[in-house]
Amino acid sequence: MAACGGCGPGYASPGEAFTSTSKEKIVYLPCIIPDKDRPDYLATVDVDPDSPTYSTVISRLHFPYIGDEIHHTGWNACSSCHNDSSRSRSRLIVPGLGSDRIYIVDVKTDPLNPKLDKVIEPWEMHAFGVSTPHTTHCLADGNVMISTLGDGPQKNGKGSFILLDGETFKPKGTWPATDADVAPYGYDFWYQPYHNVMISTEWGHPRCFFKGLDLAEVENGSYGTHLNVYDWKEKKLIQKIDLGKEGVMPLEIRFLHDPKATEGFVGSALFAKMFRFFKTEEGDWAAEKVIDIPNKEVEGWILPEMPGVMTDIIISMDDKYLYFSNWLHGDIRQYDITDTRNPKLTGQVFFGGSVQAGGPVTVTKDQELSVQPGVRYAKRKRIEGAPQMLQLSLDGKRLYVTTSLFSHWDKQFYPEMCKNGSMMFIVDVDTKNGGLQLNNDFLVDFGAEPDGPVLAHEIRYPGGDCTSDIYVAGMESKM
């Protein structure tokens, strides 16, 4: 945390976060039960190399219900309210994609042993006509905002947002000004107060993606292709940017961390395209494709061509590097984005994936590689699944990685990972020249959990990280 007497949570600026000497010592991860025969739980992992319990799960908070499919998490307070000393990053918000339930977890009383504080039940969400809660962001006004992907128990697509009271955590209502300001689909979002804008992304109908990926449903429009641009103050949907068929499933969206920036990146998952979005000279918003990962021609797979499936993206706190994972191809890439219109590949590492040499899939034509990547092992155990969720240390030197995407799709594409459990890794980053290298001293094998294998997903640091916190311009002058 920032070292000042009257500070609220986080840091005054991205630069302050980047240059801080603070280093993550523990992280929190949701752990999903593949067969839904026992409750999901929140794991606390020791990431302090000087600790005797380094690279192990040190506590588990088991939730009371079965079938939640906890997924992404967020905070009750973050750097957007850094100037408010009455605010505290005391609660981790844990939505359940599958159950429409939201858990409020106390991480302040004992950060090493989080405790369940409150539960928002599904009927409380359904009363506002929303379901399938996903991305959580804290707001400067004290409330918590969560994107919702569905319309209720029917699980039809509906891109809305639920607001939670920052004190009681009770749902207060939905965020869009009117029903006309609700998008057909929802997923992630990022707001930028300085430019009075919020942009959201689209996955698809929950009733579709919970069954697994069916390409016929991609063809019939059951998955989204748009970026939805909102007037932040008025809560009005003012523009829709269609990325087209190649931009289907625009999932993770990241503005540059600079709170005055007028641009950022969004990863369109299925066909592995990276788009830069930006504010135009006319004052509206636009998008252009800046990275295109080619399909691999293959034999022994469900289709003759295998797309990369770009599932997570992250930007370093100094806005120098962009990282993303290709979940089917099995690699993580690092790009220098000093020139945001022309990202430069500076690092790449493969582990796991669907095109490993000696496996059931043979690559017959590859525009990038001359040979298929080899099988990799971590502490003598074969790596199943592929790089998926990413989290980066504030100084940009450690990239944390887990291998599970979503249990219903994990079962479809990586059944052995569902059987044996997911893994968590650290990739060491060369922040000066670029470059990535798997850290051989760190591995958390979630196949070795006491009650059986689980699928660990998103990673959160107690002090805030590169995807949890949104910064407000001029915060330093408000202190």
Side-chain angles (χ1 to χ4, degrees), residues 362-425:
T362 299
V363 178
T364 58
K365 186 177 180 180
D366 194 325
Q367 297 181 39
E368 297 184 312
L369 303 177
S370 58
V371 296
Q372 292 180 227
V375 174
R376 296 198 67 170
Y377 293 81
K379 294 189 176 180
R380 298 181 298 280
K381 184 166 183 178
R382 178 174 176 146
I383 298 174
E384 304 285 359
Q388 206 286 107
M389 288 307 299
L390 308 175
Q391 191 54 263
L392 188 65
S393 60
L394 295 180
D395 63 9
K397 296 179 180 179
R398 295 166 301 284
L399 184 66
Y400 292 86
V401 184
T402 57
T403 53
S404 167
L405 172 61
F406 174 56
S407 69
H408 301 269
W409 291 24
D410 292 347
K411 291 177 182 179
Q412 183 177 2
F413 293 101
Y414 292 112
E416 288 301 309
M417 180 181 66
C418 281
K419 176 182 175 183
N420 298 322
S422 68
M423 293 178 171
M424 176 182 172
F425 305 94

Side-chain angles (χ1 to χ4, degrees), residues 328-339:
L328 286 187
H329 289 178
D331 65 311
I332 299 170
R333 301 189 185 207
Q334 175 198 52
Y335 283 78
D336 185 323
I337 53 170
T338 304
D339 178 355

Side-chain angles (χ1 to χ4, degrees), residues 124-137:
E124 298 180 76
M125 300 285 287
H126 299 164
F128 291 101
V130 297
S131 65
T132 323
H134 188 270
T135 297
T136 301
H137 279 303

Side-chain angles (χ1 to χ4, degrees), residues 5-279:
C7 293
Y11 298 88
S13 68
E16 183 180 287
F18 181 69
T19 57
S20 168
T21 57
S22 177
K23 185 178 178 182
E24 67 284 355
K25 294 184 181 296
I26 59 171
V27 297
Y28 302 123
L29 300 91
C31 293
I32 297 89
I33 310 305
D35 294 329
K36 316 300 179 194
D37 55 357
R38 52 192 172 93
D40 297 341
Y41 58 90
L42 183 73
T44 305
V45 171
D46 187 339
V47 295
D48 180 0
D50 296 325
S51 168
T53 54
Y54 177 61
S55 188
T56 64
V57 178
I58 57 175
S59 71
R60 299 167 184 85
L61 171 60
H62 295 270
F63 294 114
Y65 298 100
I66 290 174
D68 284 315
E69 188 78 29
I70 58 176
H71 193 65
H72 285 204
T73 63
W75 296 108
N76 68 307
C78 70
S79 296
S80 64
C81 52
H82 178 69
N83 63 323
D84 185 350
S85 60
S86 70
R87 302 294 304 281
S88 169
R89 197 190 303 263
S90 63
R91 298 295 186 271
L92 186 68
I93 315 300
V94 186
L97 266 185
S99 65
D100 303 336
R101 192 174 282 113
I102 300 173
Y103 295 109
I104 312 300
V105 176
D106 175 4
V107 296
K108 183 178 181 180
T109 303
D110 183 355
L112 301 182
N113 293 279
K115 305 298 181 186
L116 182 60
D117 182 28
K118 293 178 174 22
V119 181
I120 299 168
E121 297 291 356
W123 63 263
E124 298 180 76
M125 300 285 287
H126 299 164
F128 291 101
V130 297
S131 65
T132 323
H134 188 270
T135 297
T136 301
H137 279 303
C138 47
L139 306 183
D141 65 6
N143 291 320
V144 175
M145 182 164 156
I146 305 175
S147 63
T148 52
L149 284 55
D151 64 350
Q154 294 76 25
K155 297 286 188 180
N156 297 306
K158 181 181 179 181
S160 191
F161 307 87
I162 192 81
L163 288 172
L164 307 185
D165 183 277
E167 297 294 330
T168 66
F169 299 105
K170 285 291 184 181
K172 297 176 64 174
T174 52
W175 180 82
T178 69
D179 289 345
D181 300 302
V182 174
Y185 300 116
Y187 187 75
D188 197 16
F189 71 102
W190 198 281
Y191 64 89
Q192 181 64 292
Y194 187 80
H195 296 288
N196 189 35
V197 69
M198 186 270 279
I199 303 179
S200 70
T201 61
E202 300 183 339
W203 192 0
H205 289 297
R207 58 178 166 79
C208 293
F209 58 69
F210 268 94
K211 297 184 299 183
L213 177 60
D214 182 344
L215 292 178
E217 292 179 329
V218 175
E219 292 294 330
N220 70 21
S222 293
Y223 288 88
T225 62
H226 288 82
L227 304 183
N228 301 295
V229 183
Y230 286 84
D231 181 302
W232 180 239
K233 293 179 181 177
E234 299 298 325
K235 307 177 183 179
K236 301 287 292 183
L237 179 59
I238 58 174
Q239 187 182 352
K240 294 178 69 66
I241 303 171
D242 190 357
L243 302 180
K245 183 178 179 181
E246 69 173 356
V248 70
M249 299 185 208
L251 297 186
E252 309 294 345
I253 186 167
R254 312 281 182 245
F255 263 94
L256 297 184
H257 292 289
D258 176 357
K260 293 185 178 181
T262 55
E263 61 184 334
F265 296 90
V266 60
S268 289
L270 185 57
F271 298 118
K273 316 298 181 190
M274 184 70 71
F275 288 84
R276 168 185 172 261
F277 62 88
F278 58 96
K279 191 174 185 178

